[in-house]
Amino acid sequence: MSPSRSILLVGEGNFSFSASVSQQYSETETSITATCLQHQEEALRHEGAANNIKIIKDSGGVVLFEVDCTKLEECASLQGRLFDRVVFNFPHCGRKSGVKKNRKLLKRFFLSCVQVLSEDGEVHVSLCNGQGGTPADQPKREWHNSWQVAAMAAEAHLILSDVHPFESERYQSYKCTGYRSQDKGFHVEKGLVHVFTRSLPYTPAQICKVEEVVEGDKVQYNIPAELSDYIFRGFLCSGSVHPVRLVQDFLLKGLAEKWSVSMATETIPFLLTAKQLQACCCDVDIAHCYWVQPLQKDLNSDAQTFTGKEKDHLMCSDSRGHTDTQDTLSATCATSDKMDKVRSKAAESLRSTCSLDVDPEGESGLYMLRPTLLPQMEELLTKKELINDAESHGEDEGNNKSVEVEGHKKDGPSGGCNGVPSLLFGISGLVFRNVPVNHWALPAFHELLFRGDFISECEPIKLLGQRLETLLVPYGVSLVTEQGGVRLMAQPMGLVGRVSASNESDNIKDVSVTVSLNLDLLAVLLFSLPDWRLLWSHDPRFLQHFALCPSPGKPFRPFSLFPEHFSFDISFWTGPTWEERKFHAVIREASHGTVEHVKLIDMFSHPDLSQTSYCYRLTYQSHTHALSHTQALKFHKDLESLLTSRLQVTIR
């Protein structure tokens, strides 16, 4: 950090540290305010205090007495002032006070100091080795026997952003003192400085109303509250430096070295019908779909909807205020004739591999948030096929809209076989899965899909697998061969992608291959993120790390170190019907996404009543926000209220 414009030092004893800081910043415009709890007469009893106070004042600093660091807002001399740095060196309640009293001191200090801390300010707390209770302590004490400094700071919505050694040699005149005129000091040789910064506030979940055109119908519906923070974020927009976009660009560049790659740029709706999903018959568990009831449905309406410029503007505005209006977003790409055969082959393949447990006719009025982009891929390829057919017959050429893609063309020899070129058609976007809360269960993520038509004797599955292996194995991805394709696996998250081929069509020499990749999980791997939820952080410090578009492999440095986790149990009686997926949806909403794991630890069915008792253990942790015990408990109480009102359970 560059020299602060204003520094407040609290809990000073003999003012030797403040004097050293004053001398270091004597030639800058930094202002020093040094305070202590004692009366002036008592403070002057410390050896060297009078000389240190003189050094501070001669350097232009201010010295204040009788300032309680747990009540800074009550100090008249500090009224209306904000500081860029607040420093508290080796706090202690004095004498043989236990860890609980010192925790209370820290908590009260943090709650007070944020009242005088600037928006981008830092709080520096120096502690003896072992006191902090973080992995930075060597050796580390048991957490319950530490001062739990990160947890105490979280009570004031502060996060631990850095830990570094206390460099006593930098402050040669510094001589630590004890409490209330006791000149006996602390052991500072292995002391650690804990640097805290403000956390963003939690954003309440809201139901977001969206209007889209689906199969010619204008449909108005609500995005579920627990998903409201996942839409209109624009991570994949042109010019984005979000790691999800960087991973996509990395993959496109790597694949373009072997094949020509064309990415569709058309805006596609979030909503699907059951019939659309069954048409492509992908291997999506229908139980994990977010079913949506429309609020309004106008047939054959040509009114402006969120699929037009308004939605594009929302999705493509990044945190820096840059906007890509995407004025013309048309169908897909016009490519080689071989791509014309892709859609029908892939659809036939997918139908043969699985089936949805729904009646397409009976379910035609139901909608779901897209669990995959495969149906949109099918429709885009159909549009391309119609465009190509019309152009080949010279029909209505003046009415055909131009086709736009983001193209990535390979250099060098063809990526096909026997001189026949191959092209990969791609599409990417957000998809949704109604999955139980777990460490690596993503309710929303960005899917990258490729579809290519190959000569079967080229062994395209093997070719694509080898290329993806070259790109991703260095980051922990392994390839597992399965019937009809390859699975891309990584620890600890599991499946991160798949390569699959269609069944043989009439032309046994051709085969269509589909590649599906989870960009979010790959971003976690390629940039060493501690948690996938970081990808959705609104904190500007997250994107600052990627501002220069680093190459994959550069580890992300978290802006919140060693976040604490808290576990609470919840028990309740349910009625004769119980839908656990609704329970998990309420958890995500009530906890603001801070619950990372849910475990069923007990279940009991009453022999006489149509009731079942469930007991779950919920683990709360956040890598993006300050999460204190108080805040986690509040979220847990909110969960109990929502469960009672929404799911009609009886809390035990």
Side-chain angles (χ1 to χ4, degrees):
M1 178 180 176
S2 59
S4 298
R5 295 181 298 275
S6 56
I7 300 177
L8 172 65
L9 300 105
V10 303
E12 286 290 274
N14 58 15
F15 291 95
S16 59
F17 185 83
S18 296
S20 296
V21 172
S22 296
Q23 290 174 326
Q24 285 188 12
Y25 293 129
S26 60
E27 297 182 1
T28 69
E29 296 181 359
T30 302
S31 65
I32 304 295
T33 302
T35 70
C36 71
L37 180 63
Q38 297 98 320
H39 296 283
Q40 182 173 353
E41 296 79 7
E42 187 176 359
L44 289 173
R45 295 174 188 168
H46 287 292
E47 181 182 352
N51 185 57
N52 293 329
I53 292 172
K54 183 178 184 301
I55 292 174
I56 297 169
K57 291 183 176 180
D58 289 346
S59 301
V62 176
V63 177
L64 301 175
F65 303 95
E66 300 180 65
V67 177
D68 187 341
C69 70
T70 65
K71 300 177 181 178
L72 294 174
E73 67 280 5
E74 297 180 7
C75 178
S77 299
L78 300 179
Q79 292 293 319
R81 297 189 61 187
L82 293 177
F83 296 89
D84 299 304
R85 185 183 299 181
V86 180
V87 180
F88 197 178
N89 282 325
F90 305 102
H92 200 278
C93 289
R95 299 181 175 86
K96 295 184 179 181
S97 55
V99 293
K100 289 185 178 180
K101 286 186 177 180
N102 286 306
R103 281 183 210 148
K104 185 177 180 181
L105 169 64
L106 285 176
K107 177 180 175 180
R108 293 175 62 196
F109 160 69
F110 285 125
L111 288 170
S112 175
C113 79
V114 293
Q115 306 298 319
V116 298
L117 184 68
S118 65
E119 190 64 29
D120 297 324
E122 297 179 346
V123 181
H124 291 216
V125 177
S126 301
L127 295 175
C128 298
N129 184 39
Q131 289 177 339
T134 73
D137 289 310
Q138 296 298 329
K140 179 184 176 183
R141 295 184 190 176
E142 293 181 340
W143 193 70
H144 69 271
N145 193 36
S146 72
W147 292 16
Q148 302 173 9
V149 64
M152 297 303 103
E155 297 287 348
H157 307 291
L158 295 171
I159 53 178
L160 179 62
S161 295
D162 191 20
V163 181
H164 56 80
F166 180 81
E167 300 173 337
S168 55
E169 63 276 7
R170 289 186 56 194
Y171 313 101
Q172 296 183 0
S173 61
Y174 173 56
K175 180 179 181 299
C176 62
T177 60
Y179 178 78
R180 290 188 180 277
S181 301
Q182 299 177 33
D183 285 324
K184 182 179 180 181
F186 300 99
H187 296 288
V188 302
E189 291 78 12
K190 295 183 179 180
L192 296 174
V193 180
H194 302 77
V195 180
F196 298 90
T197 56
R198 290 186 186 273
S199 166
L200 290 183
Y202 286 94
T203 304
Q206 298 179 359
I207 295 177
C208 181
K209 185 179 292 185
V210 178
E211 191 176 273
E212 295 183 312
V213 173
V214 184
E215 293 193 315
D217 299 339
K218 185 176 75 174
V219 183
Q220 194 176 87
Y221 65 97
N222 289 329
I223 294 285
E226 72 271 16
L227 299 178
S228 62
D229 198 39
Y230 295 109
I231 63 171
F232 306 140
R233 298 294 297 272
F235 294 169
L236 293 178
C237 286
S238 176
S240 169
V241 296
H242 194 278
V244 167
R245 173 71 191 214
L246 298 183
V247 170
Q248 174 173 293
D249 290 345
F250 167 75
L251 292 168
L252 292 178
K253 182 179 178 181
L255 292 172
E257 293 179 4
K258 297 292 184 180
W259 303 277
S260 293
V261 181
S262 292
M263 291 293 295
T265 59
E266 184 179 22
T267 301
I268 54 179
F270 292 132
L271 220 56
L272 285 179
T273 64
K275 185 183 295 186
Q276 283 177 294
L277 187 63
Q278 188 169 30
C280 78
C281 206
C282 53
D283 60 345
V284 174
D285 188 346
I286 200 72
H288 290 162
C289 291
Y290 272 101
W291 293 96
V292 173
Q293 291 295 331
L295 302 175
Q296 178 180 328
K297 179 177 175 181
D298 295 336
L299 298 180
N300 302 320
S301 172
D302 57 358
Q304 175 69 28
T305 72
F306 280 116
T307 56
K309 295 181 181 178
E310 183 178 359
K311 180 178 174 182
D312 294 332
H313 182 85
L314 285 171
M315 296 185 70
C316 295
S317 296
D318 62 27
S319 62
R320 300 166 297 170
H322 296 167
T323 302
D324 180 2
T325 57
Q326 293 181 304
D327 289 328
T328 54
L329 296 176
S330 50
T332 68
C333 59
T335 61
S336 66
D337 290 338
K338 294 182 69 62
M339 280 301 298
D340 295 340
K341 306 173 185 177
V342 171
R343 184 195 59 81
S344 58
K345 292 181 183 178
E348 181 181 347
S349 167
L350 291 169
R351 290 191 189 96
S352 66
T353 57
C354 64
S355 61
L356 296 179
D357 188 20
V358 295
D359 174 12
E361 297 301 325
E363 297 287 344
S364 61
L366 293 180
Y367 297 89
M368 69 183 73
L369 294 177
R370 61 191 190 204
T372 176
L373 297 177
L374 277 170
Q376 278 95 348
M377 169 79 82
E378 301 288 349
E379 293 180 3
L380 292 178
L381 288 171
T382 300
K383 290 180 183 179
K384 187 201 73 63
E385 180 178 298
L386 293 175
I387 291 173
N388 284 356
D389 287 345
E391 289 179 346
S392 65
H393 292 88
E395 298 175 356
D396 299 326
E397 289 189 15
N399 295 324
N400 286 330
K401 296 182 179 180
S402 62
V403 176
E404 294 187 9
V405 297
E406 293 181 0
H408 298 261
K409 294 185 177 181
K410 65 179 180 59
D411 297 322
S414 169
C417 186
N418 295 329
V420 179
S422 296
L423 180 140
L424 294 176
F425 172 67
I427 184 174
S428 61
L430 192 62
V431 297
F432 306 89
R433 302 284 176 91
N434 194 354
V435 291
V437 177
N438 211 326
H439 289 289
W440 298 105
L442 282 61
F445 62 91
H446 297 83
E447 182 182 34
L448 176 61
L449 276 182
F450 293 110
R451 181 73 57 76
D453 196 23
F454 292 83
I455 302 246
S456 58
E457 51 188 53
C458 294
E459 299 184 88
I461 294 262
K462 181 178 179 181
L463 286 176
L464 280 163
Q466 288 176 341
R467 188 60 190 153
L468 291 171
E469 184 176 30
T470 300
L471 295 172
L472 298 175
V473 163
Y475 307 102
V477 176
S478 60
L479 274 64
V480 179
T481 302
E482 61 179 3
Q483 184 176 2
V486 172
R487 295 166 66 91
L488 281 70
M489 307 295 293
Q491 295 297 330
M493 59 275 295
L495 183 70
V496 297
R498 175 178 286 132
V499 182
S500 57
S502 66
N503 290 343
E504 293 181 354
S505 63
D506 294 337
N507 187 349
I508 62 174
K509 293 184 178 181
D510 293 340
V511 61
S512 293
V513 179
T514 301
V515 180
S516 173
L517 299 170
N518 186 321
L519 290 175
D520 294 51
L521 291 181
L522 290 175
V524 169
L525 288 170
L526 271 60
F527 292 107
S528 303
L529 301 181
D531 192 284
W532 65 267
R533 293 172 293 176
L534 264 168
L535 294 168
W536 302 95
S537 173
H538 290 273
D539 198 305
R541 287 171 287 189
F542 178 73
L543 279 189
Q544 283 174 4
H545 178 86
F546 302 96
L548 299 179
C549 300
S551 300
K554 181 180 179 181
F556 172 72
R557 185 185 182 280
F559 56 85
S560 177
L561 301 179
F562 317 129
E564 302 290 357
H565 65 271
F566 306 95
S567 293
F568 300 104
D569 291 351
I570 187 168
S571 301
F572 48 81
W573 288 101
T574 69
T577 60
W578 170 244
E579 295 185 69
E580 191 172 41
R581 63 184 180 84
K582 292 185 178 180
F583 171 57
H584 287 271
V586 174
I587 289 175
R588 286 193 168 100
E589 178 181 348
S591 72
H592 297 254
T594 59
V595 171
E596 67 172 12
H597 186 63
V598 177
K599 181 180 180 181
L600 177 64
I601 59 176
D602 192 25
M603 183 179 68
F604 169 72
S605 295
H606 198 284
D608 301 321
L609 303 175
S610 298
Q611 290 185 321
T612 302
S613 172
Y614 293 90
C615 181
Y616 291 89
R617 178 160 296 155
L618 278 61
T619 302
Y620 293 77
Q621 188 179 49
S622 176
H623 290 266
T624 61
H625 293 77
L627 182 65
S628 63
H629 182 275
T630 302
Q631 184 69 72
L633 185 59
K634 180 183 183 301
F635 288 159
H636 202 67
K637 294 298 182 183
D638 292 343
L639 172 62
E640 292 180 348
S641 299
L642 279 180
L643 287 175
T644 302
S645 61
R646 297 251 186 102
L647 303 186
Q648 288 75 51
V649 305
T650 303
I651 302 296
R652 297 183 60 188

